[in-house]
Amino acid sequence: MIHPPVVKPGEPPAGVARLAGVLRADGVGCAVIDANLEGLYFRLGHLRVGDDTWSRRAQRHLDDHLTVLRSADIGRQADRYRRAVADLGHLLDSEGRVSDVRAGLADYRDARWSPLRSRDLRRAARNPERNPYFAYYEAQLLPRVADLQPAVVGISINFLSQALCAFALIGLLRRRLGAARIVIGGGLVTSWLRGGRVPSGVDEWVEQMVEGPGEAHLLQSMGHGDRMLRECGRRLPDYNDLAAQPYLSPGFILPFSAGDGCWWRRCAFCPERAEQRPFRPLPHSLAVGQLRHLTAVTRPVLIHLLDNALSPALLKALAAHPPGAPWYGFARIGHPLDDPEACRRLAAAGCVMLKLGLESGDQGVLDRLQKGVALPTAVRVLDNLRRAGIATYVYLLFGTPAEDEAAALRTLDFVAAHATAISFLNLAIFNLPLASPDAADLTVSDFYPGDLAFYGDFVHPRGWDRAKVRRFLDRRFKRHPAVQPILRRDPPIFTSNHAPFFAAASG
Ligand code: SF4
């Protein structure tokens, strides 16, 4: 099972670790390869550095930069951290300048081919030589995969930034390992399939595309029975292949998911609601038990809880049975965080940061988006978390059909009034999901052209279009004296994945 480039190289991929846990528990041999991390180190070791001052300096400091990003006190070295991230990004980015492709630390941009077009995925598979990871695939990855003689090669594609690299790899695998079945799955493939956007014409490379958790399909395709399929969602993830890898973080970060789906499932424009995805939590005692076991085995410096929203019951279970390492994840604004004592218990149980999808500081917008959030509760929650010493990473969404400029200004007022309780901010401009039934009343047009596009542009019912929103963010929101220090605190590129280290340092 291969995790292809390019995504943030800060922690191991959870999806393939989960598959490995299920397969091995059923006696199926497998290997997990983080080609994103390996490929990054390979590229850094084979750089063709430009002759400009920045490139030469960045190359000279390469080892120091890698050390800084992996040092225990990155939060106390904010300037060195920023320089390291900028220099590594520059070296990787400038390496691709000879072609139309740029592959940085966490992004992949191609001036000619788009991961939103089936035609371009096919081109990537036919022309792997054009990919910046081609040399790594050829020299290191393919020989290793060939040695393993796999019956099945599973490729986990979760983000658009992985799609073209994944198909370049698939093209090479098909050339060299003709007999192996190639199966693709992961978050992006699931979104394609659930949205009815199946990549066309890729059958000559890919035998199977898997929607949702892939373990059941993999076991089925290997002739294992239904009894096992019911059980496999409860197996322990297996990080044995990955725990010792040199991720760019100050130690091992353990990603863990205590369930699929979202317990709330009511917010407008959210795929969890649009697709009526079932909420499948692990029993809380099992989730907490697995987490404690994995923590004891892998000794992480941080636990990243991946759930869409940690349910109130799970938060209580975590408070009662601390996992044994600092942890963070998404939670909804509301119960039990509106109780100061509950927040203190969470902090005592190792909670160092919570990500909160506030989206807007205007009650009318929140109600129209059906967020189920009352602003007075949000104020109480932010204050409780600040007093308990838990950092907050607050997500705001601008330009929704429910918003206008006056509402956006009220969001700015809210942030300014509660800035001391907001540790980090994520500012996003709304993209309209084409498949959402909430889009039915809007006039929609192509935004990202391509047969695999998820998002469209729309005529904003209140005239609050993307250009105006962008101007508002750049000229007013981001320049506000209460907002600037919060934005400056955000770790570049790694953002929320590294934010807990910076929160701990500033607290
Ligand atoms: S809480 Fe998050 S994941 Fe759940 S429905 Fe709302 S936006 Fe979607």
Side-chain angles (χ1 to χ4, degrees):
M1 287 171 293
I2 301 176
H3 175 64
V6 178
V7 292
K8 296 176 193 177
E11 62 191 53
V16 285
R18 176 163 145 169
L19 288 172
V22 172
L23 294 180
R24 286 175 181 154
D26 205 39
V28 178
C30 64
V32 177
I33 300 175
D34 187 343
N36 177 55
L37 188 74
E38 288 187 6
L40 171 73
Y41 276 97
F42 184 95
R43 288 184 62 207
L44 289 173
H46 297 79
L47 285 169
R48 281 166 290 134
V49 180
D51 204 25
D52 59 297
T53 313
W54 186 1
S55 299
R56 276 186 276 115
R57 194 200 63 201
Q59 167 82 348
R60 229 179 17 255
H61 294 292
L62 179 57
D63 289 343
D64 292 344
H65 289 337
L66 293 172
T67 304
V68 167
L69 292 180
R70 303 188 62 214
S71 67
D73 61 345
I74 50 172
R76 297 192 189 281
Q77 306 189 57
D79 290 342
R80 291 187 69 194
Y81 176 92
R82 283 175 199 286
R83 201 161 53 243
V85 169
D87 279 3
L88 289 181
H90 173 76
L91 286 171
L92 293 165
D93 201 50
S94 52
E95 190 204 28
R97 255 178 218 161
V98 284
S99 72
D100 297 325
V101 183
R102 306 270 175 89
L105 254 184
D107 61 331
Y108 188 90
R109 287 159 289 148
D110 190 318
R112 283 191 291 150
W113 297 350
S114 162
L116 301 172
R117 280 194 291 256
S118 297
R119 186 186 62 196
D120 291 344
L121 297 180
R122 296 194 298 269
R123 284 173 167 159
R126 270 193 215 103
N127 303 281
E129 301 78 8
R130 186 169 171 273
N131 191 281
Y133 288 84
F134 174 73
Y136 158 68
Y137 290 164
E138 278 269 293
Q140 200 169 313
L141 182 58
L142 281 170
R144 189 159 154 216
V145 176
D147 279 351
L148 290 164
Q149 300 187 334
V152 179
V153 181
I155 315 251
S156 175
I157 313 174
N158 294 286
F159 300 99
L160 279 175
S161 55
Q162 291 178 290
L164 289 166
C165 292
F167 272 83
L169 172 60
I170 289 166
L172 268 177
L173 287 165
R174 181 52 74 220
R175 274 189 213 166
R176 305 287 161 77
L177 302 173
R181 281 169 58 79
I182 296 180
V183 178
I184 61 173
L188 181 66
V189 176
T190 297
S191 298
W192 280 339
L193 298 179
R194 285 186 178 155
R197 289 170 167 72
V198 184
S200 62
V202 298
D203 310 7
E204 69 178 278
W205 296 284
V206 175
E207 264 83 15
Q208 195 180 359
M209 296 187 221
V210 173
E211 176 193 325
E215 45 267 37
H217 297 269
L218 271 179
L219 284 171
Q220 247 166 356
S221 71
M222 298 180 141
H224 290 246
D226 284 346
R227 182 193 59 75
M228 190 55 211
L229 299 184
R230 278 195 302 275
E231 291 298 311
C232 59
R234 299 179 170 207
R235 296 289 180 194
L236 261 179
D238 186 337
Y239 284 100
N240 276 326
D241 307 72
L242 304 169
Q245 301 288 325
Y247 289 98
L248 298 190
S249 288
F252 179 68
I253 297 179
L254 170 65
F256 182 82
S257 173
D260 293 321
C262 171
W263 67 275
W264 175 254
R265 245 192 320 162
R266 286 182 228 170
C267 304
F269 300 107
C270 178
E272 299 295 330
R273 160 172 140 152
E275 296 166 16
Q276 286 298 299
R277 295 180 188 171
F279 174 49
R280 291 202 197 95
L282 289 177
H284 298 129
S285 56
L286 180 66
V288 169
Q290 287 193 348
L291 200 45
R292 287 163 71 100
H293 174 80
L294 286 168
T295 302
V297 172
T298 61
R299 300 188 168 279
V301 289
L302 183 67
I303 297 168
H304 178 186
L305 296 174
L306 304 167
D307 302 57
N308 279 314
L310 301 169
S311 69
L314 180 59
L315 285 171
K316 284 181 190 161
L318 287 165
H321 306 282
W327 55 272
Y328 78 103
F330 262 113
R332 281 186 46 77
I333 292 169
H335 181 68
L337 305 180
D338 53 353
D339 172 8
E341 183 50 34
C343 292
R344 278 194 289 274
R345 279 199 298 271
L346 286 169
C351 178
V352 285
M353 186 177 90
L354 287 175
K355 301 198 276 182
L356 304 168
L358 175 63
E359 318 298 13
S360 173
D362 180 87
Q363 191 62 57
V365 171
L366 292 174
D367 294 345
R368 286 190 286 278
L369 293 178
Q370 295 167 59
K371 293 299 296 180
V373 169
L375 284 175
T377 309
V379 172
R380 268 203 316 280
V381 166
L382 287 171
D383 197 46
N384 290 344
L385 292 172
R386 180 183 64 77
R387 287 170 192 274
I390 296 174
T392 54
Y393 205 110
V394 174
Y395 288 68
L396 298 175
L397 187 57
F398 294 89
T400 61
E403 190 184 63
D404 58 15
E405 184 169 7
L409 278 166
R410 282 191 280 277
T411 301
L412 176 55
D413 290 344
F414 182 92
V415 170
H418 304 289
T420 53
I422 298 174
S423 318
F424 304 96
L425 270 176
N426 176 288
L427 311 178
I429 299 181
F430 177 72
N431 285 322
L432 179 72
L434 289 166
S436 172
D438 302 305
D441 299 335
L442 299 167
T443 309
V444 180
S445 63
D446 275 356
F447 179 47
Y448 299 115
D451 59 317
L452 302 174
F454 298 110
Y455 298 106
D457 203 358
F458 65 102
V459 179
H460 197 284
R462 298 157 203 255
W464 184 228
D465 56 48
R466 291 182 77 83
K468 287 182 187 158
V469 172
R470 196 175 296 284
R471 250 194 324 273
F472 166 77
L473 287 177
D474 290 343
R475 296 187 189 167
R476 290 203 67 169
F477 196 95
K478 292 181 185 173
R479 293 186 188 185
H480 192 285
V483 173
Q484 279 183 339
I486 304 176
L487 295 177
R488 268 202 300 271
R489 209 175 286 143
D490 201 34
I493 303 292
F494 291 92
T495 64
S496 63
N497 298 68
H498 278 176
F501 301 112
F502 289 81
S506 63

